[in-house]
């Protein structure tokens, strides 16, 4: 049963926003196959690895045929014959051929497609689910789902500055219970929004959350709380925010534009402190724009033992930036998006570094997704205890949740589910 790579092929497919992306298929001499479809972000961190796009007029420049050519004509000849079990070597070869610090030559989309499809092919040939192949015998912790049910910022056509208003079904015994409680809250929110803002308010944004015509942060949070309470889950389901503050920071005036106000960093901290004192907020992501490390450090000093503070655009899943954060005491959690960094090996190193330094890890989708379920497996493989996969709507989001239901059933009595407060000691 040879694990040597027989072939690697890429093709252009579509993501959930209708933009082109790559699907990469790897097959092994022993018959194992694996495919991976690469996701894509809309509110990206500046330091993310580069997603190679064709440019030009066709498809508004968004085609990925150059990245596909790189897979088929540059990466393939270098990897055919190599063992798919040697993930580190596979990824190192690609990094070496690329030769840049941000993967701009081959494209992080091309590299990641190969990286994950190789891992999937190996696990397929071994007859192991991916969570078991990557995580080993101890992979057993089901993640608390972070469900983005009101969309704002760059993901929606409304005036909410904050990008993601999430519910966190946490105090349950099993993933299945948590998920369906979250679904119930989502259903309740739909009814409440329809009653208040009319039918158009229940159209959904990029991640399946509603995009009602709200303007103010507290209005959105109030609706989450109302939906949680009306569904009978007060004290069991909490609230989390992804501010994605890059998108409401105005560089020219050096202020954050939110809720009709222009706030300096100190005022923005006060704004968050008030929200946290008023509402059951357990986690807050990218509260400042990615250059404002000082404010992130101060915020962490003040609140790091009460709430989870997640770095996304700050860290872009990059071990070097995470190391900087750890040294400074910035944030206490890593958002892990495999396509921000571009190889499975580096993503696993980032997670490792986070865990070793007492940072939690939230495995995350992108706003542009496909039905690929890989991140569901990855969250269990890492025993990360947390996943951000959008609202329980739209096929590309529910594919992750449905896969987790399947994994929980497969794990049977081995499956664990730990409420966030116990995970974090908050
Ligand atoms: P993106 O954003 O996938 O659109 O970049 C998601 C996030 O900020 O977490
Ligand atoms: Zn984010």
């Amino acid at each position: 049963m040879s694990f040597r790579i027989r072939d690697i092929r890429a093709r252009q497919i579509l993501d959930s926003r209708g933009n082109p992306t790559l699907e990469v298929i790897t097959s092994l001499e022993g018959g194992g196959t694996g495919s991976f479809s690469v996701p894509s972000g809309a509110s990206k961190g500046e330091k993310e690895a580069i997603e190679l796009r064709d440019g030009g007029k066709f498809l508004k420049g968004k085609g990925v045929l150059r990245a596909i050519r790189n897979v088929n004509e540059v990466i393939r000849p270098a990897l055919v014959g190599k063992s798919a079990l040697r993930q580190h070597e596979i990824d190192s070869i690609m990094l070496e051929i690329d030769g840049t610090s941000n993967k701009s030559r081959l494209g992080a989309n091309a590299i990641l497609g190969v990286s994950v499809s190789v891992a999937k092919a190996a696990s397929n040939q071994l007859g192991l689910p991916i969570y078991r192949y990557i995580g080993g015998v101890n992979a057993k912790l089901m993640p608390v789902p972070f469900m983005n049910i009101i969309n704002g910022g760059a993901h929606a056509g409304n005036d909410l500055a904050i990008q993601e208003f999430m519910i966190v079904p946490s105090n349950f015994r099993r993933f299945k219970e948590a998920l369906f409680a979250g679904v119930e809250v989502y259903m309740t929110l739909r009814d409440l929004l329809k009653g208040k803002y009319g039918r158009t308010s229940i159209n959904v944004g990029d991640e399946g959350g509603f995009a009602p015509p709200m303007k103010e942060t507290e209005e959105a949070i109030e609706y989450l709380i109302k939906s949680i309470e009306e569904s009978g889950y007060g004290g069991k389901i909490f609230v989390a925010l992804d501010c994605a503050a890059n998108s409401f920071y105005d560089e020219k005036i050096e202020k954050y534009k939110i809720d009709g106000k222009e706030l300096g960093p100190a005022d923005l901290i006060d704004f968050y402190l008030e929200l946290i004192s008023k509402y059951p907020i357990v986690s807050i992501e990218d509260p400042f724009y990615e250059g404002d490390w000082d404010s992130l450090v101060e915020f962490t000093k003040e609140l790091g033992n009460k709430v989870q503070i997640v770095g996304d655009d700050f860290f872009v899943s990059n071990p070097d930036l995470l190391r900087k954060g750890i040294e400074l005491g910035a944030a206490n959690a890593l958002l892990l998006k495999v396509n921000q960094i571009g190889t499975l090996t580096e993503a696993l190193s980032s997670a490792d570094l986070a865990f070793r330094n007492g940072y939690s890890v939230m495995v995350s989708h992108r706003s542009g997704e496909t039905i690929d379920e890989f991140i569901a497996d990855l969250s269990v493989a890492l025993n990360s205890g947390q996943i951000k996969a959008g609202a329980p709507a739209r096929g590309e989001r529910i594919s992750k949740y449905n896969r987790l239901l399947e994994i929980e059933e497969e794990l049977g009595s081995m499956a664990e589910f730990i409420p966030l407060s116990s995970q974090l000691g908050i």
Side-chain angles (χ1 to χ4, degrees), residues 142 174 176 404-413 415:
M142 298 302 299
R174 288 172 70 78
K176 183 164 70 173
L404 286 165
L405 291 170
E406 190 177 35
I407 294 174
E408 185 169 62
E409 202 167 292
E410 199 171 282
L411 287 172
S413 61

Side-chain angles (χ1 to χ4, degrees), residues 93-107:
I93 292 171
M94 289 192 283
L95 294 186
E96 211 166 288
I97 299 173
D98 178 77
T100 67
S101 59
N102 57 5
K103 304 183 176 66
S104 54
R105 179 166 169 240
L106 295 175

Side-chain angles (χ1 to χ4, degrees), residues 43 155 163-164 166 207 241-245 285-286 310-313 335 337 340 364-366 388:
S43 78
H155 292 167
Q163 179 177 284
E164 299 173 20
M166 293 173 272
E207 296 188 349
L241 304 175
D242 178 5
C243 306
E285 180 178 325
D286 284 351
V310 186
D312 171 14
D313 294 340
L335 196 76
K337 292 166 163 169
Q340 277 182 327
S364 171
H365 66 164
R366 299 305 305 244
K388 182 166 102 152

Side-chain angles (χ1 to χ4, degrees), residues 66-92:
R66 282 200 294 154
I68 285 170
R69 222 173 297 130
N70 287 343
V71 173
N72 293 341
E73 293 171 18
V74 184
I75 298 174
R76 177 181 176 277
L79 295 185
V80 164
K82 298 272 184 283
S83 170
L85 293 172
R86 301 176 71 95
Q87 186 72 41
H88 186 268
E89 188 184 327
I90 299 286
D91 289 344
S92 302

Side-chain angles (χ1 to χ4, degrees), residues 158-226:
N158 58 21
D159 294 323
L160 291 169
I162 287 183
Q163 179 177 284
E164 299 173 20
F165 295 85
M166 293 173 272
I167 50 167
V168 188
S170 166
N171 292 8
F172 295 87
R173 283 171 309 147
R174 288 172 70 78
F175 171 78
K176 183 164 70 173
E177 286 174 20
L179 177 70
F180 288 111
V183 169
E184 207 181 329
V185 172
Y186 182 71
M187 290 171 169
T188 307
L189 177 64
R190 181 192 283 127
D191 293 342
L192 289 175
L193 291 177
K194 203 161 144 189
K196 170 79 195 264
Y197 302 95
R199 279 183 303 154
T200 55
S201 71
I202 56 167
N203 292 336
V204 299
D206 284 354
E207 296 188 349
F210 302 116
M214 295 174 171
K215 287 194 165 55
E216 305 236 327
T217 304
E218 290 207 27
E219 195 181 355
I221 299 177
E222 292 279 358
Y223 266 87
L224 295 193
I225 305 289
K226 234 188 260 179

